[in-house]
Amino acid sequence: VCSYTNIDTPSLNGYLWTKSAYPAASIFKTITAAALIERKKFSESDSIETVGRNHTLYTYQLKKEPTAKRNISLADAYAYSINPAFGRIGIFQLGSSILREYAEKFGFNSSVPFLIPVEKSSFSITDSSFTIAEVASGFNQKTLLSPLLGALIAGSISNDGRMMTPSIVDSITDFTGRKLYSHTPRLWRVPLNKSSAGTMQNLMKNVTRYGTARKAT
């Protein structure tokens, strides 16, 4: 296991995938969507309001009664990573307390139990409406996560809401074929119930079917 760095840039030292130096950006929309589905009982076909362009976030897009708005499904809001839709979810559906609750359920501000030390992925939020919108849509530079936690978040959804303790070695076998060690999977936390995780699985599939990751498949 190793990390690559450009020889012309200063070394960050250690394993880059354990460092919480990276903005969560639109990965945080997964947390916001999960909270909306579980706490507010939204389905993927439920209607979400959005205003203006998809990938901007201005105050006029976050007004309670904007002059021009359109309705889209939660599935499309997630698939196309629509910032104002998620900003409005944060302000008018969830609020700072629920966003904080689900961020921490998914491992932010916690030490990941791992053989190699992992920096805590940092999350903070205030009650300012615009800050809530920024956090909920991932449109900020302050919500930071390690690549390892990012993988655990995605893994927990594919694993029906169960986040497992990460490991490096699956098994060790000697030259005769005798197994000396076999990893036993261990549960770390359950950030999402099975039903909500199933809805999130559908949302994530849509990202690759027709959304922002369609060219990656």
Side-chain angles (χ1 to χ4, degrees):
V1 180
C2 62
S3 299
Y4 170 80
T5 55
N6 189 316
I7 60 173
D8 296 324
T9 60
S11 172
L12 293 175
N13 298 318
Y15 300 111
L16 300 185
W17 45 275
T18 66
K19 294 186 175 296
S20 298
Y22 313 97
S26 285
I27 292 172
F28 200 85
K29 289 184 174 77
T30 297
I31 311 297
T32 304
L36 183 69
I37 290 164
E38 187 160 274
R39 289 295 294 272
K40 299 298 180 176
K41 309 305 179 186
F42 268 60
S43 72
E44 57 197 280
S45 61
D46 280 340
S47 181
I48 302 293
E49 291 181 349
T50 190
V51 180
R53 297 172 61 186
N54 288 351
H55 299 133
T56 57
L57 194 68
Y58 298 113
T59 53
Y60 85 88
Q61 295 175 292
L62 304 171
K63 291 180 179 179
K64 188 172 184 179
E65 296 296 337
T67 54
K69 63 182 178 183
R70 64 188 188 279
N71 292 324
I72 57 172
S73 67
L74 174 59
D76 285 351
Y78 186 83
Y80 295 118
S81 194
I82 298 177
N83 287 334
F86 277 85
R88 295 179 68 82
I89 289 170
I91 295 171
F92 301 115
Q93 296 289 345
L94 299 177
S96 60
S97 295
I98 293 177
L99 286 169
R100 182 183 296 107
E101 175 189 347
Y102 275 82
E104 293 182 348
K105 277 187 172 187
F106 276 95
F108 283 86
N109 298 336
S110 295
S111 297
V112 176
F114 194 46
L115 294 172
I116 299 171
V118 182
E119 294 179 358
K120 288 183 180 181
S121 295
S122 60
F123 174 87
S124 63
I125 194 170
T126 70
D127 290 327
S128 158
S129 292
F130 194 74
T131 299
I132 291 170
E134 285 183 314
V135 169
S137 62
F139 200 74
N140 71 4
Q141 297 289 317
K142 293 183 179 179
T143 305
L144 304 176
L145 88 168
S146 66
L148 179 59
L149 184 64
L152 291 175
I153 290 170
S156 69
I157 291 169
S158 65
N159 196 36
D160 295 332
R162 294 161 57 85
M163 186 177 285
M164 309 305 289
T165 300
S167 64
I168 295 177
V169 179
D170 180 63
S171 63
I172 299 173
T173 305
D174 68 15
F175 66 93
T176 68
R178 183 168 60 98
K179 186 169 286 188
L180 303 177
Y181 167 81
S182 181
H183 170 69
T184 300
R186 291 188 296 114
L187 182 68
W188 180 28
R189 55 181 62 204
V190 183
L192 209 56
N193 66 44
K194 185 175 181 178
S195 174
S196 299
T199 303
M200 282 301 306
Q201 289 167 16
N202 291 335
L203 294 188
M204 295 176 80
K205 288 175 184 176
N206 290 336
V207 177
T208 59
R209 286 170 176 162
Y210 65 84
T212 53
R214 65 191 181 280
K215 294 181 180 179
T217 57

